Amino acid sequence: MARIADLIAKGRTFSFEFFPPKTDSAQLSLGRAIGELESLGPSFVSVTYGAGGSTRQRTHAVVSWMRKETTLTPMAHLTCQGHVRSEIRDILNAYADDGVQNILALGGDVPTDGEPAPSDYTYASELLDDVSGDGRFSVGVAAHPEVHPRSTDRASDRRFLAAKLSRADFAITQFFFEVEVYVRMMNELADLGVNKPVLPGIMPVTNKKQIVRMAEMSGAAMPQWLIDRLDKVDDPEDVRRVGVEAATELCRDLLDAGAPGLHFYTMNRSTATREIHANLGLSSAC
Ligand code: FAD
């Protein structure tokens, strides 16, 4: 089992993100995608966590299964909104007992339906303090290159990110479509004296409606050139091809700009990620 801080220190990483399945058929798709992507030898993989603890058991089950039954190095996402400290302690103990050494410490979003659960936390930085203070984990945090949608202004968002990152081992970004967005954020962090590794999150476009909705929710701007390229195609296979081409170009630009690795949002499917991986000629350390 490896700590992600050590993997990044050794060289460029490439990694894949999955979400825990809700149904038996989703479980099968995830198993297939993991089987197909495991053979590429990713540096690590990560598994998302439902806001307010809604996937607590399922995230734990997938991460622990990966740890015990595959060759993969897993990282568990953990959000703090809607949790009290004793629950976080139990979750961390369960991961440590299963030999899991990597946690992505996140704020999460307060669920909008029903009564909010009691919470000891407001921001990811408070969870980060608990997880890094625990001492058993390599800890990452989230970065939002185009600024988090709830932020009041860019400067304060960058200050909060710099403060988080100075105490974490690394960050992974929300997805975005142009290298300049990443380079600008890295320069702003350097101006604040923070030079920790930030892995860019890559979301290949595979479905036009879905990417527009996800970009709106996450605050990622769809550039006009990408909209124009997607407007020219309708067949789902052509949309996927354009998405893979655009993501490949972005990955090349990011590696040229010195990104310490690439983190792919797989949506529990393997085809687009495998094609980009092949286009880039990546090996275990890219
Ligand atoms: P925070 O760092 O707490 O930031 C949230 C907002 O608060 C920002 O606007 C920030 O500028 C501001 N802020 C931070 N500190 C302070 C402070 N001290 N005072 C005032 N304002 C402050 N969500 C899930 O539910 N499950 C997942 O598995 C998941 N995985 C993710 C993985 C990645 C790589 C990324 C980028 C996001 C992920 N998210 C996930 C989404 C994330 O939980 C949301 O974007 C959430 O709204 C913010 O999380 P954060 O960790 O950036 O929070």
Side-chain angles (χ1 to χ4, degrees):
M1 182 68 178
R3 290 168 71 90
I4 292 172
D6 297 335
L7 297 174
I8 296 175
K10 278 193 204 142
R12 280 178 170 164
T13 58
F14 72 92
S15 49
F16 305 137
E17 180 170 313
F18 302 99
F19 56 85
K22 278 194 191 140
T23 61
D24 288 349
S25 72
Q27 176 91 39
L28 285 177
S29 312
L30 174 63
R32 198 163 41 240
I34 291 174
E36 286 163 356
L37 291 170
E38 185 179 7
S39 62
L40 302 182
S43 314
F44 68 91
V45 295
S46 77
V47 182
T48 63
Y49 189 80
S54 56
T55 67
R56 177 171 169 177
Q57 308 302 342
R58 282 185 280 130
T59 299
H60 186 268
V62 175
V63 170
S64 293
W65 171 79
M66 286 171 160
R67 164 76 187 98
K68 289 175 189 154
E69 305 294 338
T70 73
T71 58
L72 300 164
T73 294
M75 171 170 72
H77 293 210
L78 182 55
T79 66
C80 60
Q81 295 258 15
H83 275 308
V84 292
R85 284 213 150 73
S86 57
E87 290 169 332
I88 294 292
R89 208 166 34 242
D90 290 347
I91 292 169
L92 295 180
N93 283 338
Y95 278 128
D97 287 349
D98 286 347
V100 175
Q101 292 185 312
N102 302 292
I103 301 281
L104 191 66
L106 299 151
D109 298 300
V110 185
T112 46
D113 50 339
E115 279 291 298
S119 183
D120 283 342
Y121 302 87
T122 308
Y123 298 112
S125 54
E126 299 154 34
L127 176 63
L128 168 66
D129 287 341
D130 286 357
V131 183
S132 59
D134 180 287
R136 291 176 288 184
F137 303 96
S138 179
V139 195
V141 292
H144 303 271
E146 292 174 276
V147 174
H148 189 277
R150 282 203 300 275
S151 293
T152 48
D153 62 281
R154 189 175 185 95
S156 65
D157 185 86
R158 288 297 178 259
R159 276 199 308 278
F160 292 130
L161 173 60
K164 249 187 346 183
L165 201 41
S166 64
R167 303 187 326 270
D169 294 317
F170 61 94
I172 301 181
T173 76
Q174 188 53 273
F175 69 88
F176 58 91
F177 298 103
E178 295 190 295
V179 68
E180 293 77 11
V181 168
Y182 175 81
V183 171
R184 181 177 175 194
M185 179 185 66
M186 295 310 290
N187 288 338
E188 289 165 344
L189 288 171
D191 289 345
L192 293 168
V194 176
N195 293 295
K196 288 276 180 75
V198 180
L199 303 172
I202 309 295
M203 173 80 82
V205 178
T206 52
N207 175 310
K208 283 203 242 184
K209 272 197 190 134
Q210 183 191 46
I211 198 72
V212 169
R213 189 169 39 82
M214 292 176 78
E216 270 170 18
M217 275 165 49
S218 67
M222 292 267 296
Q224 193 56 47
W225 59 261
L226 182 57
I227 295 171
D228 291 346
R229 271 161 80 170
L230 288 167
D231 275 348
K232 292 196 184 102
V233 290
D234 266 324
D235 182 71
E237 189 47 36
D238 291 333
V239 171
R240 206 183 52 75
R241 181 180 46 74
V242 170
V244 166
E245 279 167 14
T248 302
E249 288 159 24
L250 175 61
C251 290
R252 283 209 182 97
D253 290 345
L254 285 163
L255 293 177
D256 287 349
L262 300 167
H263 183 74
F264 293 93
Y265 293 104
T266 68
M267 306 300 286
N268 288 8
R269 306 203 175 277
S270 71
T271 313
T273 307
R274 278 190 288 128
E275 288 176 3
I276 298 164
H277 184 274
N279 291 347
L280 293 169
L282 296 178
S283 60
S284 305
C286 59

